[in-house]
């Protein structure tokens, strides 16, 4: 892809011609075709009990018979690697949610087991995440029962949406909204850990109060915790880059990188244990974690807060303000429902652990069996060891994860902005090629750059911009509004806008929003024909103006 470029020479623009996609009248061409809802409902009712539908709802029926023994080792390695990442993160995210650390571990195994049956993507790992923990925290701070009930209710809601095949709703979630929310959550979560990183005990985990407490208590920073926290953070960031080492065994360096969280916790725990044998404790540590597996029981539909019984209706009124994709909804819904029976807070897919799973070479969802089993073994046998995990070490893991998440979202935003190119030829016209889906993130930016480009080359006589629509299959009303205002902005610069070979579904959105825009779409002419017509029209207009001027 390229930035807007300086003028280049092009004697001709050779683009294959295309014929008009429909022989209907122009009014019908852009008319929106509403789906036959009645017929689709009847088909859905007929097909809901077919064997093919059952296979779709239980993907394990499809992949398990084709499972090969050669996959077993790779699934085991991937599951074990993800488990090493999951255990320290689960403990940390339980703390982020305001719960005792064991609740993070309770949230990290049932989803793995359930997803094996209902999940359709081999790479996804289900457990709690930093953002989920942040959303649960206001309610978990009242009572852990709220977090468990939220897990059950979230599962029921998502399962219902999935069974109703409403995964299509995902298409209406704006990328900038998701990106903005994710970045804001990453900043908030990392800020809440800044005091733990240096050994301070902040009374609040909110964004501004956390930083205010940090800067007003600099004289109380624990030297040991600050040194361990800063070293752990640097270690994590460096370890993430070891996968790029080119010499030696690259597979070895990859797994060294993937095990960075586990290595950090092991080293920090070892230091805390060794240095505390004389009775002193140089670091703030996690403390006691309840050992053993959680009891399997229904989620709480009432709870007790400060000696007062809170009924189900009041719990609902407190949390009710939290305001193929369909099959993933079914899988995620079942994961949350079953996880709520083992005292889990809400769980979902994790960017980090999913990437680790993929990088580890997982072949099937069976890798989740190893991950879940590893978490169960940690709950059964390692909770006394977890006592010595320094809080600054957990804080460094959370902050490092948030830095990675922030960078990931910034890269997504960056690619949304630059995936286009615009050239100017000796015929004095601009040719715009969109190399991605035209959406919220890119439409406004591309519009701004086209206007700037035309204004910059106005002295050269540029008077036509053509947007090629080969890759534009569908747009929404926001993008349509951007195209309309782009046409108006170019008119001010005495430049015409044309859209060539756009898909009817995309063109129709613009034309229904403003019928006068139909004239800018061209289907049955080549680029050369369009340019020739444009030149002839301008010469004709110029001649008419000269004649009128001479008569005046």
């Amino acid at each position: 892809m390229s930035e807007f470029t300086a003028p280049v020479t092009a004697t001709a623009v050779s683009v294959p011609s295309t014929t008009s996609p429909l022989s209907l009248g122009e009014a019908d061409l852009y008319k929106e075709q509403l789906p036959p809802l009645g017929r689709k409902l009847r088909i859905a009712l007929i097909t809901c009990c077919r064997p093919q539908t059952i296979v779709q709802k239980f993907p394990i029926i499809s992949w398990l018979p084709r499972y090969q023994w050669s996959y077993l080792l790779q699934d085991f390695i991937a599951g074990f690697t993800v488990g090493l990442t999951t255990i320290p993160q689960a403990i940390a995210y339980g703390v982020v949610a305001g719960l005792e650390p064991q609740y993070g571990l309770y949230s990290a195994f049932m989803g793995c087991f359930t997803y094996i049956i209902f999940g359709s993507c081999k790479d996804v790992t289900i457990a709690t995440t930093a953002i989920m923990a942040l959303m649960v925290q206001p309610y978990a701070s009242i009572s852990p029962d709220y977090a468990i009930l939220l897990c059950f209710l979230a599962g029921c809601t998502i399962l219902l949406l999935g069974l109703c095949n409403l995964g299509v709703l995902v298409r209406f979630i704006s990328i900038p909204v998701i990106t903005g929310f994710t970045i804001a959550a990453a900043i908030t979560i990392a800020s809440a850990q800044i005091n733990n990183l240096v050994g301070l005990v902040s009374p609040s985990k909110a964004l501004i109060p956390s930083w205010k407490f940090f800067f007003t208590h600099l004289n109380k920073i624990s030297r040991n915790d600050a040194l361990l926290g800063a070293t752990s953070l640097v270690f994590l960031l460096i370890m993430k880059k070891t996968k790029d080492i080119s010499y030696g065994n690259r597979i070895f360096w990859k797994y060294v990188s993937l095990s960075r969280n586990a290595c950090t916790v092991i080293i920090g725990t070892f230091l805390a244990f060794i240095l505390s044998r004389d009775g002193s404790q140089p670091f703030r540590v996690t403390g006691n974690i309840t050992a053993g597996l959680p009891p399997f029981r229904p989620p709480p539909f009432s709870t007790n807060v400060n000696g007062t019984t809170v009924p189900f209706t009041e719990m609902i009124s407190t949390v009710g303000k939290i305001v193929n994709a369909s099959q993933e909804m079914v899988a995620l819904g079942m994961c949350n429902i079953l996880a709520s029976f083992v005292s889990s807070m809400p769980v979902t897919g994790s960017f980090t652990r999913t990437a680790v799973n993929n990088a580890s070479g997982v072949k099937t969802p069976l890798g989740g069996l190893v991950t879940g089993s590893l978490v169960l073994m940690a709950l059964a046998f390692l909770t006394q060891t977890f006592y010595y995990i320094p809080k600054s070490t957990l804080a460094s893991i959370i902050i490092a994860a948030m830095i990675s998440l922030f960078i990931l979202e910034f890269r997504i935003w960056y690619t949304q902005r630059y995936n286009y190119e615009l050239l100017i030829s000796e015929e004095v016209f601009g040719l715009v090629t969109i190399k991605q889906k035209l959406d919220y993130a890119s439409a406004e930016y591309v519009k701004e750059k086209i206007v700037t480009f035309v204004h910059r080359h106005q002295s050269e006589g540029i008077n036509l911009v053509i947007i090629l629509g080969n890759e534009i299959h569908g747009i929404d009303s926001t993008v349509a509004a951007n195209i309309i205002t782009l046409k108006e902005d170019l008119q001010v610069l005495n430049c015409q806008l044309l859209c060539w070979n756009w898909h009817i579904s995309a063109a129709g959105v613009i034309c229904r929003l403003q019928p006068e825009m139909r004239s800018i779409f061209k289907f049955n002419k080549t680029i050369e024909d369009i340019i020739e017509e444009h030149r002839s029209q301008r010469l004709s207009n110029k001649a008419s103006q000269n004649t009128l001027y001479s008569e005046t």
Side-chain angles (χ1 to χ4, degrees):
M1 66 193 76
S2 63
E3 179 62 87
F4 285 136
T5 59
V8 296
T9 302
T11 56
V13 180
S14 180
V15 183
S17 61
T18 182
T19 57
S20 179
L22 294 176
S23 58
L24 301 175
E26 191 171 345
D28 294 330
L29 186 63
Y30 302 109
K31 185 177 180 181
E32 186 173 18
Q33 301 295 323
L34 296 177
L37 296 179
R39 183 170 64 86
K40 286 185 175 294
L41 182 60
R42 288 195 301 271
I43 294 174
L45 292 174
I46 293 172
T47 58
C48 66
C49 295
R50 289 180 178 175
Q52 183 179 0
T53 304
I54 296 176
V55 171
Q56 289 175 350
K57 296 306 179 186
F58 295 88
I60 189 173
I61 299 175
S62 176
W63 62 262
L64 188 59
R66 301 196 304 268
Y67 195 86
Q68 301 178 20
W69 286 108
S70 59
Y71 296 165
L72 192 60
L73 178 60
Q74 290 178 284
D75 282 345
F76 178 83
I77 293 173
F80 187 81
T81 306
V82 173
L84 293 179
T85 303
T86 298
I87 291 173
Q89 283 191 340
I91 296 172
Y93 295 156
V95 175
V96 170
L99 296 166
E100 295 179 7
Q102 68 265 19
Y103 282 95
L105 293 172
Y106 294 165
S107 307
F109 66 89
M110 184 58 79
C112 296
F113 297 150
T114 307
Y115 193 82
I116 294 173
I117 300 173
F118 297 98
S120 61
C121 179
K122 65 180 179 63
D123 301 307
V124 172
T125 301
I126 302 295
T128 193
T129 63
I131 294 178
M132 186 68 76
L134 179 67
M135 296 175 69
V136 169
Q137 192 272 333
Y139 309 101
S141 60
I142 302 174
S143 169
D145 289 343
Y146 278 94
I148 300 169
L149 180 62
L150 269 175
C151 183
F152 178 76
L153 296 177
C156 292
T157 303
I158 299 171
L159 176 62
L160 180 62
L161 291 173
L163 291 175
C164 294
N165 202 30
L166 293 178
V168 68
L169 295 176
V170 175
R171 301 179 187 175
F172 297 96
I173 302 177
S174 159
I175 289 179
V177 171
I178 296 175
T179 301
F181 174 78
T182 303
I183 290 177
I187 293 173
T188 302
I189 293 168
S191 299
Q193 297 301 315
I194 190 65
N195 292 291
N196 283 332
L197 189 72
V198 295
L200 295 176
V201 183
S202 174
S204 173
K205 293 185 179 180
L207 177 63
I208 302 301
S210 292
W211 284 105
K212 182 179 179 181
F213 185 88
F214 173 77
F215 285 113
T216 55
H217 293 78
L218 293 176
N219 59 330
K220 296 183 179 179
I221 287 178
S222 167
R223 181 181 61 183
N224 292 336
D225 284 297
L227 182 61
L228 178 62
T231 304
S232 298
L233 181 58
V234 172
F235 178 74
L236 284 165
L237 297 177
I238 292 176
M239 285 274 285
K240 185 177 181 180
K241 295 296 183 182
T242 57
K243 65 181 185 299
D244 300 324
I245 296 177
S246 57
Y247 62 87
N249 191 323
R250 300 197 65 174
I251 296 178
F252 169 78
W253 290 118
K254 180 182 76 170
Y255 283 104
V256 167
S257 176
L258 294 176
S259 63
R260 58 186 178 274
N261 286 342
C263 291
T264 304
V265 169
I266 291 171
I267 294 171
T269 303
F270 178 77
L271 286 175
F273 175 75
I274 291 297
L275 297 177
S276 65
R277 289 192 298 177
D278 59 356
S280 63
Q281 183 52 264
F283 308 114
R284 287 181 62 230
V285 295
T286 301
N288 290 319
I289 297 179
T290 303
L293 306 183
F296 189 83
R297 61 190 177 192
F301 294 102
S302 64
T303 188
N304 191 287
V305 180
N306 298 325
T308 303
T309 300
V310 181
F312 177 70
T313 53
E314 188 172 337
M315 294 179 74
I316 287 292
S317 65
T318 302
V319 303
K321 298 177 182 177
I322 295 181
V323 182
N324 179 323
S326 295
Q327 180 57 30
E328 287 302 293
M329 284 181 170
V330 172
L332 188 56
M334 290 301 300
C335 288
N336 275 277
I337 291 174
L338 293 178
S340 70
F341 282 76
V342 291
S343 304
S344 168
M345 59 177 163
V347 296
T348 186
S350 163
F351 281 126
T352 305
R353 290 185 292 273
T354 296
V356 170
N357 210 17
N358 176 269
S360 300
V362 68
K363 290 296 184 181
T364 69
L366 200 61
L369 179 64
V370 182
T371 300
S373 300
L374 201 61
V375 174
L376 285 177
M377 287 192 293
L379 272 169
F381 306 114
L382 297 179
T383 50
Q384 290 185 347
T385 304
F386 294 156
Y387 175 94
Y388 293 98
I389 298 177
K391 289 194 173 183
S392 58
T393 299
L394 292 180
S396 68
I397 290 175
I398 296 171
I399 293 174
M402 294 307 100
I403 291 174
S404 299
L405 186 59
F406 184 91
I407 293 174
L408 172 65
E409 291 297 334
F410 177 79
R411 284 172 180 172
I412 293 174
W413 169 80
Y414 185 86
T415 57
Q416 292 292 323
R417 289 167 59 90
Y418 287 91
N419 206 1
Y420 67 89
E421 66 179 9
L422 193 154
L423 303 175
I424 179 173
S425 79
E426 66 176 11
E427 301 290 347
V428 200
F429 74 94
L431 188 65
V432 183
T433 303
I434 305 295
K435 297 183 177 180
Q436 65 172 50
K437 178 183 178 182
L438 198 58
D439 55 18
Y440 295 85
S442 56
E444 182 65 32
Y445 184 78
V446 171
K447 168 195 162 186
E448 174 190 343
K449 287 300 182 180
I450 290 175
V451 173
T452 303
F453 181 82
V454 172
H455 186 270
R456 185 185 305 155
H457 294 283
Q458 202 170 15
S459 61
E460 302 168 24
I462 184 170
N463 50 52
L464 174 65
V465 169
I466 303 174
I467 302 179
L468 303 183
N470 306 65
E471 303 297 326
I472 304 176
H473 298 273
I475 61 174
D476 57 27
S477 58
T478 304
V479 176
N482 271 298
I483 298 298
I484 292 172
T485 55
L486 171 62
K487 178 178 181 293
E488 296 169 353
D489 291 345
L490 291 180
Q491 282 179 338
V492 174
L493 297 174
N494 196 30
C495 182
Q496 184 179 358
L497 174 67
L498 294 177
C499 298
W500 184 82
N501 203 27
W502 280 46
H503 289 257
I504 291 299
S505 58
V509 177
I510 299 174
C511 296
R512 288 192 296 273
L513 197 61
Q514 190 173 105
E516 295 81 9
M517 294 290 290
R518 293 174 181 169
S519 60
I520 73 170
F521 292 98
K522 305 296 180 182
F523 296 102
N524 55 353
K525 297 178 180 178
T526 64
I527 293 290
E528 290 84 355
D529 291 339
I530 293 173
I531 295 170
E532 184 60 36
E533 284 186 5
H534 176 74
R535 183 192 299 110
S536 300
Q537 183 179 358
R538 289 189 65 86
L539 291 175
S540 177
N541 291 340
K542 186 174 182 180
S544 300
Q545 290 175 357
N546 291 338
T547 302
L548 179 63
Y549 177 77
S550 62
E551 291 177 352
T552 304

